[in-house]
Amino acid sequence: MSITFQPGELFEAELDESLLGPPLAEVIGKEIPTRIAIPFTSDDSRILSGVWEAEPGLSRWEFLERGEVIHVLEGRMVVTEDDGEAVTLEAGSAAVFPIGWRGTWEIQERIRKFFVIFTA
């Protein structure tokens, strides 16, 4: 069975709201409100996919036990891997954060992204 949807349309429905924080990320500075919809989770919970939205702010991410693939639908953020170069992601950009990736995300404009999270 396949599941099809338009990622942008998931924001027309009510989303689950929360503040960014552990275990996902460590906020650096002011609180970062987030909203999420997860229409797919695999039977073994090793893969989940959905749409995530967050307000501007700086946070530290450590993908120690999971990885993530994203496609930015709206907004802009700068991601900087530890000891790496800053990379700007904006609408239309995609990125892979493999298991073991560590660094910061600086959301500069409210971000909306489609994501797939995977574990080993």
Side-chain angles (χ1 to χ4, degrees), residues 53-67:
E53 180 180 275
E55 297 300 323
L58 180 63
S59 54
R60 176 160 180 78
W61 294 75
E62 295 188 354
F63 291 89
L64 302 180
E65 297 179 7
R66 65 182 179 93

Side-chain angles (χ1 to χ4, degrees), residues 2 6 9 25 41-42 44 46-47 51-53 56 67 96 113:
S2 64
Q6 294 294 321
E9 291 175 5
T41 302
S42 65
D44 62 4
R46 292 181 57 208
I47 300 172
V51 177
W52 185 79
E53 180 180 275
V96 177
K113 66 176 181 157

Side-chain angles (χ1 to χ4, degrees), residues 43-84:
D43 291 340
D44 62 4
S45 298
R46 292 181 57 208
I47 300 172
L48 54 108
S49 182
V51 177
W52 185 79
E53 180 180 275
E55 297 300 323
L58 180 63
S59 54
R60 176 160 180 78
W61 294 75
E62 295 188 354
F63 291 89
L64 302 180
E65 297 179 7
R66 65 182 179 93
E68 184 172 2
V69 178
I70 70 168
H71 179 252
V72 178
L73 302 170
E74 293 181 20
R76 181 179 60 249
M77 70 178 179
V78 175
V79 298
T80 307
E81 187 171 8
D82 289 352
D83 299 322

Side-chain angles (χ1 to χ4, degrees), residues 1-47:
M1 178 178 119
S2 64
I3 299 170
T4 61
F5 58 92
Q6 294 294 321
E9 291 175 5
L10 290 175
F11 286 97
E12 294 174 3
E14 187 173 321
L15 302 176
D16 294 329
E17 297 183 21
S18 65
L19 294 175
L20 183 61
L24 295 177
E26 179 183 328
V27 174
I28 302 168
K30 68 177 187 143
E31 294 181 334
I32 301 173
T34 67
R35 289 161 292 286
I36 193 168
I38 303 174
F40 174 78
T41 302
S42 65
D43 291 340
D44 62 4
S45 298
R46 292 181 57 208
I47 300 172

